[in-house]
Amino acid sequence: MKDYETLFMDASKDGCGNGCGESIAYTFCDACNQVPYCGVKCYLRNGQIVRVESWYGFPNAPLCSKGFATLQRQYHPQRLGYPLIRTKPKGLPDPGWVRISWDEAYDIIVSKMKEVRDKYGPEAVLFYCGDPKEMRPAVSRLATVFGSPNFGTESSTCFRAAALASQLMFGLIALGNLPTKETKTVLIWGTNPAWSSPYNMQKLFSAKEKGAKFIVVDTRRTPVADKLADIHLQPRPGTDAALALGMINVIIARGLYDREFVENWTYGFEALKEYVKDFAPEKVEETTWVPAYKIVDAAILFAANRPATLMAGASTLTHSTNAVQTVRSILTLVALTGNFDVPGGVAVPTHPLPFRSHDMGDPDFIMEEKKIEMKHKRVDKDYFPVWAELVHEQIQVNLLPEYVRDGKIRMAILFGANVTMWPQFQEYQEALKNMEFVVAVDYFLRPWTHNYVDMVLPAATNYERFEPFIWFGRKIYVRKPVVKPYLEAKSDWQIVFDLAVRLGYAEEFWNGDTKAGLNHILQKVGVTLDEIPVPDGLEIPPLGQEEYRKYEKGLLRKDGKPGFPTPTGRVEIWSTILEKHGYDPLPVFKEPEESPVSRPDLARKYPLILTTGSRVPVYTHSKWRELSWLRDLMPRPVASINPEDAEERNIKEGDLVAVENSHGKIRVYAHLTYIVPPGVVDVFHGWAMVPKAHVNVLIPRVFDPISGFPAYKVGLCQVYKVG
Amino acid sequence: MEDCWNTVLEFNSHEEKRVVWIPYVCTQLREPACGEVSKPPPCVRSCPCNARIYGDLDSPTDPAGKLVAEGKAKPLPYETDKPKAYYFGKIPGDVEVLLPKPSEVLPRKYIPLMDVSP
């Protein structure tokens, strides 16, 4: 492993080291939606950024292609520079955008908010954050102060269901972590960091060099499976729970589980033992396509070669109709093998900073207590009661068309929103259209979303804004604006604070001073923004030693008693919360709603399994098609198909093909690759700018009953040549 | 954006039924396009997976040269009289015969933004 810090950190502050007149600045990248982000080092000349490179020494480095391309975004001629309002009624193909001033824009938004509040109550206004996550705390706080519990985010389709599964099991969010020096086995389930978090790859290779064993579970032969796996399991999409239960069957049958932990700290083991009798490896092989011997090998390795950690996909496992239970079955593996909160296992930090990484905030700043008081006004409470009970900070927004149809949501304030992220997105476009007023904040005009809103505001980029601060463990990093905002673009935080002041919440929003707002959060750790140096960051000293097996010491529960912060005080393999709400309390396997097993009638016509929403190295979802530096690397929408399936259909690389199922049809180009196994077609999402190429028209609006997550990864389809 | 002097080629190995990724760099064709000869060039520094090593191939004490001396790395196609690029790892036979001349793939041409609607 190379020591990048010593090799490449410049000795002088002078960019090129020989007096060339360049200066250096630092920011964090927001090209994808990771939290925390990667570091960007910028070289400036005459107030312009001339090049960027990795901020070596920053915890997440080096940068990926998307990070570099943020420079092209910064100076892109089509960036949004002024507030725009439509002059033509919604529904016409051309909104007739005209420029207005910020004052006019704010006045209109504020008067609409007051109008909707007076007519329907504050809860009829939806506050929504898409991508990135940086503005979440500010927007969430505004929602609470305004009196609406209806604050939602794109986590309605991403990380939150997995986190919810962990809350149900452990009473806290623990979805695994990178291997440490103690780790002997790494279980990577449904994630491909080579493409989704490239900065982690060097750490994983390093663990492998030091002797850690890798089990990779991924339908596709990804770079991570190819380069790291000692055992690679390739389940049929949507059958991961069956695979996990099969591994549990082996572990229990062979007595490889941690008896002491199971006896003292888990709830529902006997029922699980009974349930997994149906998941003998040979039977699981039929369901999952994974050879029985590999299931046995993986189970033995994971249970016996301890400590083992888990790295689970934030959204892959939950993009099915059995979302929460799938993640629960995998977490059950962790619990049974005694790998929870041990050194080198799935540990939870002993002294985390009092902030929450998944919503980039602080429960007090977003006024979570008040959100809980307003629970009865949540629009999702009747549809997804478990989510509404445990996910205090945000609602489940996936039923937006229903919320609008029923008159519960009348207005929306959207930051970085993309409606084509939803299955059957036409219904969401229609929902935006039918609201009384919708305002969106973005970097670019994106017609597939903005043609259905009333106003669009220009957002400042990560080179132009300083909010918020970020942290790794106990180390806080801040940034300063590198350049002035493009034309009239403003930071998301500033937009929120300006609106708040005009709504009469000057006191709650520090008279519009975002820096004061951030300093208010930082008060908890006794520092101010200005005291944190750039680029060094500031380590807040821990309050004590790092502890493990915190459940034994009473460090996990608020009441200080030993155990877990669940209703029974134990790891709830049998979830009393799910039981209370009438769901299956065990981590059960259910076939996807549309699979060759559950719908043989459909499978006759559409014999291939359609999986979507996976990551590629150059795009984040629908973002960055504007940037030719990236689009050059992936210029066209493609369907990845195994060469054997292609040959059967007389399809060659680059052929124009139709991907069709009972929900719709798209036209994309064929990419023949052994990354996908025979029988599976992988279509990358987000091609909203190319007509008839967006795969979400093939995804039904069928949701996981517990979390409300859509089944992006478990469809059926047929592929054939056209044109 | 100028044309790009390094790329990663993706091949299907039908023999082994897997995908193989092979990096191609400017030195297979010409002197470093970036002009950086004394320190690790940008293509090495920016590789997220740390897949590229830069060094003296003739020196057995150099981390890159060591792999060559130990016979663990094989030369990729290159122009004569130019510095070489070696590949560490196994290239399936059916892919090895497919490896293109560097001049066929480098520099990767910049494609201007265009309408790609099917």
Side-chain angles (χ1 to χ4, degrees), chain A residues 26-303:
Chain A
Y26 298 86
T27 184
F28 335 123
C29 178
D30 69 346
C32 72
N33 218 348
Q34 311 275 6
V35 177
Y37 298 133
C38 298
V40 185
K41 186 177 181 183
C42 325
Y43 293 82
L44 291 108
R45 186 176 288 165
N46 303 327
Q48 288 254 317
I49 307 164
V50 289
R51 61 204 156 88
V52 294
E53 66 171 44
S54 299
W55 170 353
Y56 297 109
F58 191 78
N60 279 0
L63 275 185
C64 70
S65 52
K66 289 167 277 187
F68 286 106
T70 54
L71 179 58
Q72 193 186 26
R73 180 187 72 192
Q74 178 64 24
Y75 295 114
H76 197 289
Q78 284 163 357
R79 253 191 77 192
L80 206 52
Y82 302 101
L84 300 176
I85 192 157
R86 66 163 57 242
T87 52
K88 296 192 176 144
K90 285 198 235 180
L92 293 178
D94 173 23
W97 295 118
V98 294
R99 178 181 162 184
I100 52 169
S101 72
W102 275 101
D103 276 335
E104 289 171 286
Y106 284 149
D107 285 346
I108 295 168
I109 300 167
V110 167
S111 74
K112 290 284 179 189
M113 284 174 85
K114 286 181 173 167
E115 194 185 309
V116 169
R117 178 177 63 189
D118 295 346
K119 263 185 13 210
Y120 313 104
E123 65 274 19
V125 179
L126 171 72
F127 295 78
Y128 176 85
C129 295
D131 197 329
K133 296 187 177 78
E134 294 185 17
M135 71 297 266
R136 284 188 186 186
V139 180
S140 183
R141 184 178 174 89
L142 179 60
T144 318
V145 173
F146 185 70
S148 172
N150 295 317
F151 165 78
T153 76
E154 51 73 34
S155 292
S156 281
T157 63
C158 191
F159 163 82
R160 207 58 186 86
L164 177 63
S166 175
Q167 281 177 284
L168 290 166
M169 285 285 292
F170 299 125
L172 47 86
I173 298 170
L175 291 166
N177 33 258
L178 284 164
T180 64
K181 61 181 191 309
E182 293 93 355
T183 306
K184 288 195 176 147
T185 304
V186 187
L187 174 59
I188 298 183
W189 202 309
T191 179
N192 175 26
W195 293 351
S196 61
S197 57
Y199 53 85
N200 279 335
M201 284 309 283
Q202 296 185 8
K203 294 164 195 157
L204 293 173
F205 279 124
S206 166
K208 190 165 177 71
E209 273 169 32
K210 286 175 189 144
K213 296 286 180 200
F214 281 76
I215 304 166
V216 177
V217 186
D218 200 314
T219 303
R220 301 179 306 156
R221 187 167 173 150
T222 61
V224 162
D226 192 68
K227 302 291 178 202
L228 287 170
D230 294 285
I231 301 177
H232 178 201
L233 311 176
Q234 293 181 273
R236 168 164 66 87
T239 63
D240 299 76
L243 179 57
L245 294 163
M247 289 170 71
I248 292 169
N249 171 297
V250 174
I251 287 167
I252 294 178
R254 300 194 177 214
L256 291 170
Y257 58 97
D258 185 328
R259 278 162 211 276
E260 203 196 319
F261 183 88
V262 166
E263 201 164 294
N264 294 331
W265 305 109
T266 65
Y267 182 76
F269 178 72
E270 288 306 319
L272 175 78
K273 198 172 161 181
E274 196 54 37
Y275 178 66
V276 298
K277 281 186 180 156
D278 279 344
F279 291 85
E282 294 70 26
K283 203 175 161 201
V284 173
E285 172 172 344
E286 278 172 38
T287 309
T288 62
W289 303 350
V290 179
Y293 77 92
K294 280 197 175 186
I295 300 169
V296 175
D297 285 356
I300 293 174
L301 181 63
F302 185 72

Side-chain angles (χ1 to χ4, degrees), chain A residues 41 50 138 167 241 251 269 275 316 370 389 411 461 497 566 693:
Chain A
K41 186 177 181 183
V50 289
Q167 281 177 284
I251 287 167
F269 178 72
Y275 178 66
T316 41
K370 210 174 156 204
E389 180 174 332
M411 171 175 176
T461 65
F497 274 51
T566 55

Side-chain angles (χ1 to χ4, degrees), chain A residues 27-31 42 49 69-76 79-80 132 134 441-444 446 458-468 479-493 495 624 627:
Chain A
T27 184
F28 335 123
C29 178
D30 69 346
C42 325
I49 307 164
T70 54
L71 179 58
Q72 193 186 26
R73 180 187 72 192
Q74 178 64 24
Y75 295 114
H76 197 289
R79 253 191 77 192
L80 206 52
E134 294 185 17
V441 185
D442 218 313
Y443 293 145
F444 294 91
R446 281 149 168 158
T461 65
N462 60 319
Y463 294 101
E464 300 162 347
R465 59 178 186 247
F466 68 92
E467 313 95 337
R479 65 182 167 202
K480 292 177 175 154
V482 175
V483 292
K484 285 199 185 103
Y486 174 65
L487 301 177
E488 291 186 5
K490 272 185 203 283
S491 87
D492 301 311
W493 275 66
I495 295 170
W624 317 144
L627 307 180

Side-chain angles (χ1 to χ4, degrees), chain A residues 486-686:
Chain A
Y486 174 65
L487 301 177
E488 291 186 5
K490 272 185 203 283
S491 87
D492 301 311
W493 275 66
Q494 194 60 59
I495 295 170
V496 173
F497 274 51
D498 288 351
L499 275 176
V501 171
R502 284 165 190 258
L503 282 162
Y505 309 129
E507 204 180 317
E508 291 89 341
F509 282 83
W510 299 271
N511 296 313
D513 181 356
T514 57
K515 197 168 171 180
L518 290 173
N519 279 336
H520 175 80
I521 303 176
L522 285 170
Q523 251 177 27
K524 284 193 167 177
V525 290
V527 295
T528 65
L529 219 53
D530 289 333
E531 286 164 6
I532 301 168
V534 181
D536 306 325
L538 186 72
E539 180 91 26
I540 308 292
L543 308 169
Q545 288 282 329
E546 194 64 27
E547 307 258 4
Y548 293 94
R549 296 188 175 85
K550 291 183 262 300
Y551 47 87
E552 290 177 351
K553 301 164 188 165
L555 296 172
L556 295 181
R557 294 175 59 94
K558 275 191 188 143
D559 59 13
K561 288 185 186 156
F564 289 79
T566 55
T568 56
R570 289 165 168 248
V571 175
E572 293 204 350
I573 296 168
W574 178 284
S575 168
T576 53
I577 297 175
L578 291 180
E579 187 180 20
K580 180 178 81 186
H581 290 286
Y583 299 104
D584 216 318
L586 281 173
V588 294
F589 166 64
K590 283 200 178 113
E591 269 291 332
E593 294 262 342
E594 292 183 11
S595 84
V597 178
S598 62
R599 293 295 301 274
D601 55 321
L602 277 181
R604 267 191 294 279
K605 207 169 165 200
Y606 306 111
L608 298 168
I609 290 171
L610 173 68
T611 180
T612 75
S614 69
R615 305 298 186 254
V616 295
V618 297
Y619 296 133
T620 310
H621 310 306
S622 67
K623 299 201 294 182
W624 317 144
R625 306 301 196 284
E626 305 87 353
L627 307 180
S628 56
W629 295 2
L630 295 175
R631 194 156 150 183
D632 187 20
L633 296 165
M634 188 179 176
R636 306 191 297 192
V638 295
S640 295
I641 181 169
N642 186 280
E644 288 173 19
D645 292 327
E647 195 177 356
E648 256 175 47
R649 291 164 175 78
N650 195 26
I651 293 169
K652 307 233 162 12
E653 175 73 26
D655 281 352
L656 188 58
V657 294
V659 183
E660 188 181 341
N661 66 13
S662 58
H663 308 289
K665 180 165 95 173
I666 58 168
R667 281 146 55 96
V668 294
Y669 294 91
H671 176 48
L672 278 52
T673 173
Y674 286 108
I675 290 177
V676 287
V680 176
V681 176
D682 175 24
V683 182
F684 183 64
H685 55 295

Side-chain angles (χ1 to χ4, degrees), chain A residues 1-2 4 7-8 53-54 56 62-64 68 76 194-195 198-199 201-202 205 221-223 226-227 625-626 628-629 631-633 635-637 643-644 656 667-669 671-675 687 689-691 693, chain B residues 1-4 6-8 10-21 36 39-42 44-54 87-90 94 108-118:
Chain A
M1 185 63 63
K2 275 176 270 182
Y4 275 103
L7 270 177
F8 302 113
E53 66 171 44
S54 299
Y56 297 109
L63 275 185
C64 70
F68 286 106
H76 197 289
W195 293 351
Y199 53 85
M201 284 309 283
Q202 296 185 8
F205 279 124
R221 187 167 173 150
T222 61
D226 192 68
K227 302 291 178 202
R625 306 301 196 284
E626 305 87 353
S628 56
W629 295 2
R631 194 156 150 183
D632 187 20
L633 296 165
R636 306 191 297 192
E644 288 173 19
L656 188 58
R667 281 146 55 96
V668 294
Y669 294 91
H671 176 48
L672 278 52
T673 173
Y674 286 108
I675 290 177
W687 284 100
M689 69 177 342
V690 179
Chain B
M1 183 68 166
E2 305 102 56
D3 297 333
C4 184
N6 76 79
T7 186
V8 178
E10 186 182 301
F11 295 97
N12 281 316
S13 167
H14 296 284
E15 257 170 34
E16 299 189 6
K17 299 203 170 174
R18 66 182 178 109
V19 164
V20 184
W21 294 274
E36 299 192 26
K39 60 173 184 174
V44 172
R45 271 146 51 196
S46 60
C47 177
C49 292
N50 218 352
R52 293 179 178 131
I53 316 176
Y54 174 87
Y87 182 80
F88 172 74
K90 191 180 160 290
D94 59 337
R108 273 190 84 250
K109 288 283 180 270
Y110 160 63
I111 309 165
L113 192 62
M114 55 181 182
D115 181 20
V116 290
S117 311

